[in-house]
């Protein structure tokens, strides 16, 4: 490879530490939910880093940040670009690396390419996607790039706290008309790559340094509702009851077996169960169970849904209650580009780093970008697999390794 360009690890770490102080809360984590004062502070900090490095930031109609370096070769300006980035918003009391790692590493790659005056065939851009964590809409910024939002959709959008998107957006200086004009022409994109923490334990358990992400899981969801009969908790014998909660409990207990029947990568979760009439001495009549199910393969995702439906019906029969099932696949799986997976694996090998292929169980902006251009993702290990909490952590050496593999991949894609 000759002399290998690497990131400035000290600067990368210093930036992640500085960004990791913005929005720090008493509970120990970071709260930079989209369009909040701390999110604005983080974005302003990012603008300063770009200005300091002599880079230009374009802000699109929904606040996505698209960063360019002054062109070394002017005729490459209009060629399809290679994008890399992630997000700097967080969940409430979240961690320091989710999103921030990929956003700052991409900036660092662009800084290195710029300061070394490296001539590439295509421009490289560093991106910050708006509201990845979905304070207002899941993957808001990349959805805006991939398919755009109508004014009616934006006006109907409500935040987790019940506030209206349009209020938060205009208070943060946003323009609603511009917000409906964010869809980009796929012909302007050559490829996209995102570096991210794994947010799970797989790489750490394998003892591997780099994850080559094969695809992003598809997600289905909805609810299963069991209807039994409310009766006296003391006078109704156990035999012959129509207890909707006993049926609901049986369904939830069956989740591990149902997932195991589909095999690797299948997960099922119920996060909310509501019980009516909800009285300690009345047999539950109506129980509503939320169901979230995921798999990286579209056919297997459908098979997993069929397993859940079949089990819910069988359990309803067994316990003599009625069931209504309202499940649907909501986000299709996003397979990632094989050629970019090969580049990432080769870059890791060339740097003497161990790598393995794995799917992403979490959603990422890359699943939207994959609908626009060949897209890849690089994972680095999460200590104890923790994420979306103050304990979220990744060792600095893994941060540096991941950023270097990203740099190599971007240079390959941009054509050296
Ligand atoms: Zn993230």
């Amino acid at each position: 490879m000759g002399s290998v360009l690497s990131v400035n690890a000290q600067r990368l770490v210093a930036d992640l530490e500085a960004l990791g102080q913005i929005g720090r809360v008493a509970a120990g984590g970071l709260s930079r939910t989209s369009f909040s004062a701390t999110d604005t502070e983080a974005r302003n900090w990012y603008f300063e880093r770009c200005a300091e490095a002599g880079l230009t930031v374009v802000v699109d109609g929904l606040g996505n940040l698209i960063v360019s370096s002054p062109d070394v070769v002017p005729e490459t300006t209009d060629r399809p670009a290679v994008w890399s980035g992630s997000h700097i918003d967080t969940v409430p009391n979240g961690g320091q690396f989710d999103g921030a790692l990929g956003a700052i590493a991409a900036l660092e790659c662009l800084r290195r390419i710029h300061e070394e005056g490296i001539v590439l065939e295509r421009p490289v851009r560093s991106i910050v996607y708006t509201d990845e964590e979905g304070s207002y809409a899941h993957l808001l910024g990349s959805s805006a790039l991939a398919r755009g939002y109508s004014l009616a959709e934006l006006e109907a959008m409500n935040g987790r706290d019940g506030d209206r998107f349009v209020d938060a957006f205009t208070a943060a200086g946003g323009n609603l008309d511009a917000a409906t004009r964010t869809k980009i022409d796929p012909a302007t994109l050559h490829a996209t790559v995102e570096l991210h923490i794994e947010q799970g334990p797989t790489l750490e358990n394998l003892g591997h340094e780099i994850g080559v992400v094969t695809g992003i899981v598809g997600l289905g969801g909805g609810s299963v509702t069991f209807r039994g009969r409310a009766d006296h908790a003391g006078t109704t014998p156990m035999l012959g009851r129509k207890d909707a909660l006993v049926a609901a409990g049986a369904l939830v207990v069956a989740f591990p077996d149902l997932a195991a029947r589909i095999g690797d990568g299948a997960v099922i979760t119920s996060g909310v169960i509501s019980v009516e009439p909800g009285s300690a001495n009345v047999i539950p009549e109506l129980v509503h169970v939320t169901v979230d199910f995921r798999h990286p393969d579209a056919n297997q995702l459908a098979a997993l849904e069929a397993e859940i439906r079949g089990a819910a019906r069988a359990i309803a029969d067994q316990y003599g209650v009625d069931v209504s099932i309202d499940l649907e696949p909501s986000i299709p799986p996003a397979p990632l580009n094989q050629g970019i997976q090969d580049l990432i694996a080769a870059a890791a090998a060339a740097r003497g780093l161990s790598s393995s292929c794995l799917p992403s169980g979490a959603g990422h902006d890359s699943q939207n970008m994959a609908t626009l251009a060949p897209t890849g993702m690089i994972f680095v290990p999460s200590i104890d697999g923790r994420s979306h909490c103050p304990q979220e952590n990744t060792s600095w050496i893994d941060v540096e390794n991941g950023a270097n593999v990203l740099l190599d991949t971007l240079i390959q894609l941009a054509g050296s």
Side-chain angles (χ1 to χ4, degrees), residues 304-326:
L304 184 60
E305 181 182 335
E307 287 285 350
I308 300 166
R309 286 176 178 277
R313 284 192 209 99
I315 287 165
D317 281 352
Q318 186 185 347
Y319 293 99
V321 300
D322 293 330
V323 65
S324 62
I325 302 168
D326 177 21

Side-chain angles (χ1 to χ4, degrees), residues 134-159:
S135 290
Y136 294 91
H138 183 57
L139 311 179
L140 174 74
S142 55
S143 301
L145 293 162
R147 44 180 190 277
Y149 288 102
S150 67
L151 188 59
E153 285 174 308
L154 294 173
E155 282 177 336
M157 215 178 259
N158 289 313

Side-chain angles (χ1 to χ4, degrees), residues 191-193 337-345 374-377 409 413:
T192 86
V193 189
N337 181 267
Q338 185 61 53
I340 300 180
Q341 290 181 45
D342 295 344
L343 287 179
I344 295 166
T375 290
M377 281 193 83
T409 308
L413 287 167

Side-chain angles (χ1 to χ4, degrees), residues 36-411:
S36 66
T38 49
D39 181 40
T40 302
E41 191 184 340
R43 294 164 71 87
N44 288 339
W45 174 88
Y46 183 87
F47 285 127
E48 283 166 27
R49 299 288 76 70
C50 293
E52 185 178 85
L55 305 173
T56 317
V57 188
V58 171
V59 185
D60 84 355
L62 266 169
N64 292 305
L65 309 181
I66 301 156
V67 185
S68 305
S69 66
D71 301 296
V72 179
V73 186
E75 56 268 29
T76 64
T77 313
D78 296 328
R79 290 189 187 155
V82 177
W83 282 24
S84 181
S86 195
H87 58 100
I88 59 174
D89 66 313
T90 72
V91 294
N93 198 30
Q96 186 180 340
F97 294 91
D98 176 7
L101 170 64
I104 302 308
L107 176 64
E108 173 58 24
C109 290
L110 188 57
R111 286 191 295 217
R112 290 296 292 135
I113 291 167
H114 175 52
E115 65 198 2
E116 294 293 325
I118 293 171
V119 178
L120 299 166
E121 288 170 29
R122 300 174 192 90
V124 173
R125 313 240 189 269
S126 170
I127 313 295
V128 173
Y129 299 106
T130 302
D131 196 19
E132 192 271 352
E133 298 291 2
S135 290
Y136 294 91
H138 183 57
L139 311 179
L140 174 74
S142 55
S143 301
L145 293 162
R147 44 180 190 277
Y149 288 102
S150 67
L151 188 59
E153 285 174 308
L154 294 173
E155 282 177 336
M157 215 178 259
N158 289 313
R160 280 207 194 100
D161 304 331
D163 58 330
R164 295 176 70 222
F165 166 78
V166 290
D167 295 337
F169 182 64
T170 48
N175 174 304
L176 277 174
D177 185 46
T180 61
R181 286 182 278 103
T182 51
K183 193 173 174 330
I184 59 163
D185 177 0
T188 62
L189 265 186
H190 178 70
T192 86
V193 189
E194 180 175 6
L195 170 65
H196 206 281
I197 55 169
E198 182 200 330
Q199 305 180 276
T202 305
L203 290 173
E204 187 179 68
N205 289 343
L206 292 168
H208 285 179
E209 292 154 306
I210 295 292
V212 181
V213 183
T214 53
I216 299 167
V217 293
L219 187 152
S223 62
V224 175
T225 305
F226 293 99
R227 183 181 288 275
R229 202 176 69 199
D231 281 306
H232 194 291
T235 59
T236 317
M238 291 307 286
L239 213 60
R241 289 181 173 207
K242 291 177 187 291
D243 187 328
L245 185 55
V246 171
L251 178 65
V252 175
V253 168
F255 283 172
D257 284 340
L258 299 175
R261 268 182 227 165
I262 300 300
D264 250 10
V267 290
I268 316 172
T269 307
S270 178
V272 183
I273 294 180
S274 65
V275 180
E276 291 177 33
S279 173
N281 59 1
V282 181
I283 295 170
E285 175 162 307
L286 194 70
V287 177
H288 191 74
V289 180
T290 64
V291 181
D292 169 306
F293 58 99
R294 305 182 189 214
H295 198 283
D297 176 87
N299 292 329
Q300 296 291 76
L301 184 69
L304 184 60
E305 181 182 335
E307 287 285 350
I308 300 166
R309 286 176 178 277
R313 284 192 209 99
I315 287 165
D317 281 352
Q318 186 185 347
Y319 293 99
V321 300
D322 293 330
V323 65
S324 62
I325 302 168
D326 177 21
L327 297 177
E328 58 176 2
S330 53
I331 300 174
L336 295 176
N337 181 267
Q338 185 61 53
I340 300 180
Q341 290 181 45
D342 295 344
L343 287 179
I344 295 166
R351 286 185 183 265
L353 302 169
S354 54
S355 69
S356 48
C357 294
L358 75 170
S360 170
H364 296 288
D365 290 308
S366 287
Q367 71 199 54
N368 281 325
M369 301 314 287
T371 68
L372 294 169
T375 290
M377 281 193 83
I378 303 162
F379 275 173
V380 289
S382 290
I383 295 172
D384 292 331
R386 303 292 303 276
S387 185
H388 280 191
C389 57
Q391 292 78 15
E392 177 182 283
N393 202 1
T394 290
S395 74
W396 291 123
I397 186 67
D398 285 331
V399 164
E400 181 181 350
N401 288 337
N404 278 326
V405 170
L406 176 65
L407 178 62
D408 297 343
T409 308
L410 294 177
I411 289 175

